[in-house]
Amino acid sequence: MQNGISASMMCCDFGQMARDIAALEEAGIEYLHIDVMDGHFVPNLTMGPDVVAAIRRYTHLPLDFHFMTDDPMHWIDVFKPREGDLVAIHAESTPHAARALPMIAATGATPGIALNPGTPLSALDYLAPLSGFVLLMTVNPGYAGQPLAPGSLDKIRDTKAYLGARGLSLPIEVDGNVSCENARKMAAAGADLFVAGTSSVFSKSGTILSGAEALRNAISLGKAGLKSL
């Protein structure tokens, strides 16, 4: 799994998807983030398998699936992740996460465990060893454009410490209000992969290329601050 930026495709212009994907590739984006919402686990519906199939036709970039769904094992079979993809399921979404994570790994994709803002790190106790990364929600999942959830930066720091204390070098992905200002602080707190949406890469105040450049600069500044601590 690489560090870097994962562009949230729910924020792209669906009428100009091919254009936006080409711009994301030009900007050097590492992953395309696929938010899968079922209207049950979160109060929204987003991208289905036909949309994902269309995205696959436009790019060879790996996909970063985020299943905000009940019964994630069902959706693994529906979306058919590939080798090189990332697939995160929520610890809160199923009592069988310890079964679902190996199912994801068997597809060749990297499995990850996601936590909502209010979910304690103890949810990782028996799931982190089965995971290739941890996804921390920094907003309550369901909609783009929300403010940063209180305590998000502390939770990133605490997750970094939690994993280090257990000898786990899992990357930390952050998702929710990843603006340039917040990304710098998130990077300093220990985040590695940044889901970029309307507050950065898809901001209406600039282009995808300029948004990606600004976000990378902010992440680099944060990482430089982390190294100097």
Side-chain angles (χ1 to χ4, degrees), residues 210-222:
S210 65
E213 289 175 346
L215 185 59
R216 285 195 195 281
N217 288 337
I219 293 168
S220 296
L221 287 172

Side-chain angles (χ1 to χ4, degrees), residues 3 9 12 41 64 147 168 171 193 197 215 229:
N3 299 337
M9 296 305 294
C12 80
F41 183 68
D64 174 19
L168 299 171
L193 182 61
L215 185 59
L229 293 178

